Amino acid sequence: MEAEHGAMDAYSRIVTTVAERLRPSVAALSVPGPRGTGAGSAVLFTADGLMLTSAHVVEGVRDGTAVFQDGVGSRFDVVGADPLSDLAVLRCAAAETPAAELGDADRLRIGQLVVAVGNPMGLAGSVTAGVVSALGRALPAREGRHIRLIDDVIQTDAALNPGSSGGALADARGRVVGVNTAVAGYGLGLAVPVNPTTRYIIGELSATGRVRRAWLGVAGVPAPLPPEVAERLGQRTGLRVVEVVPGSPAGTAGIYLGDILVSAAGRKLDGVQVLQRLMLGSAIGARLPVTLLRRGAFVDVVAVPVELAS
């Protein structure tokens, strides 16, 4: 019994410490819209007033109001938004507000403790805790008439409610490892990870207000490699091609349905996020060598990604 109480005390201490550290950095957003005022959350991540939130929270608006834990309100302006990652960067007059530290979601493990801080139902500074339920999920989202997928999201059972979107998902040390983006069902919350890919996106949004991406025109899902191939390459999985857009750079290069993409530009394609990272910035118009497995044989092709239309 004493051990159980000790474990609960340790758990409580972690959650309390993270809450004390993060609550001052998380703002409640008031966003004007055609159907009235919307609500969301945002987390301050630089000392000069840059905030991170979900792109869908500020969709179609240029500014709004942010209120921090101390009750002080400040106007914010939208610096840039990227619907494909559901991330947006805002700027406000943060004054004495402390900035949160960004972490690395690539180091998360299933079952790890996470703490969510946001403003659900307009209740500022609300804190919930739970565990990482799954990693690498895909989140379907609607953009106009089109359905897009936000890949590589974090699934957690930390309670999220309307208004939590844009809030912080933190590890046990109080580092922001995700931006809460959706409630997918009871006990099922989703967050966009903070990792090298999204750090690049955040940097581009902060500097230029937009993100340039390369487009390959292929969709893949993780698939195990044959044992002999896995042993030879030191790589357990590749990406099985489930869609090739006709006339796309992938189609022109000779990539077909059922192929397993093994590597690109010398990088092992053992996860969707690896290919996503290759499609940022400098990949536009550059030769992209791809090695794939087709009917048990290795095939080398070269694709030239084009810029994805915004």
Side-chain angles (χ1 to χ4, degrees):
M1 183 67 70
E2 291 183 3
E4 181 179 347
H5 286 305
M8 288 299 293
D9 288 343
Y11 176 90
S12 298
R13 282 196 298 271
I14 291 173
V15 176
T16 301
T17 301
V18 172
E20 290 175 347
R21 182 174 181 179
L22 267 187
R23 286 180 71 218
S25 306
V26 178
L29 299 184
S30 179
V31 182
R35 298 182 180 178
T37 301
S41 307
V43 55
L44 184 77
F45 69 98
T46 70
D48 61 349
L50 289 182
M51 297 191 297
L52 192 58
T53 188
S54 300
H56 72 267
V57 169
V58 294
E59 183 179 4
V61 303
R62 296 182 178 180
D63 54 47
T65 303
V67 180
F68 287 91
Q69 183 186 5
D70 58 10
V72 176
S74 171
R75 167 179 163 160
F76 71 80
D77 296 301
V78 179
V79 177
D82 179 44
L84 290 178
S85 64
D86 198 23
L87 291 174
V89 172
L90 319 176
R91 183 179 292 280
C92 72
E96 303 294 324
T97 306
E101 178 186 357
L102 299 184
D104 185 0
D106 285 355
R107 298 186 179 185
L108 289 177
R109 297 293 180 267
I110 294 174
Q112 184 173 335
L113 171 67
V114 285
V115 179
V117 182
N119 302 284
M121 309 295 187
L123 302 174
S126 296
V127 177
T128 58
V131 298
V132 175
S133 305
L135 296 166
R137 296 298 198 204
L139 170 65
R142 182 175 296 277
E143 185 177 15
R145 298 180 179 179
H146 305 288
I147 298 294
R148 56 185 171 82
L149 289 178
I150 301 172
D151 292 309
D152 200 28
V153 300
I154 304 164
Q155 178 185 327
T156 176
D157 66 352
L160 302 178
N161 293 287
S164 291
S165 289
L169 187 71
D171 63 16
R173 293 177 60 182
R175 298 170 298 192
V176 179
V177 292
V179 176
N180 301 323
T181 188
V183 181
Y186 180 76
L188 179 59
L190 300 171
V192 175
V194 173
N195 56 26
T197 302
T198 50
R199 280 177 179 269
Y200 175 90
I201 291 170
I202 294 166
E204 288 294 290
L205 289 174
S206 302
T208 68
R210 63 186 292 261
V211 179
R212 295 183 69 216
R213 280 186 174 81
W215 180 65
L216 191 58
V218 64
V221 296
L225 296 174
E228 63 278 6
V229 174
E231 183 177 357
R232 174 181 169 184
L233 299 179
Q235 176 181 342
R236 294 183 178 181
T237 60
L239 295 178
R240 183 180 301 279
V241 176
V242 295
E243 180 182 4
V244 179
V245 177
S248 67
T252 302
I255 296 176
Y256 303 125
L257 289 176
D259 288 345
I260 299 179
L261 307 182
V262 176
S263 66
R267 298 278 302 277
K268 294 179 179 179
L269 296 180
D270 52 6
V272 175
Q273 63 271 28
V274 179
L275 187 58
Q276 289 177 333
R277 292 170 188 171
L278 288 172
M279 291 296 103
L280 292 170
S282 60
I284 299 170
R287 291 168 56 87
L288 181 71
V290 178
T291 297
L292 55 89
L293 194 64
R294 180 182 298 158
R295 299 190 185 92
F298 288 105
V299 177
D300 292 320
V301 300
V302 175
V304 181
V306 298
E307 183 168 2
L308 179 66
S310 58

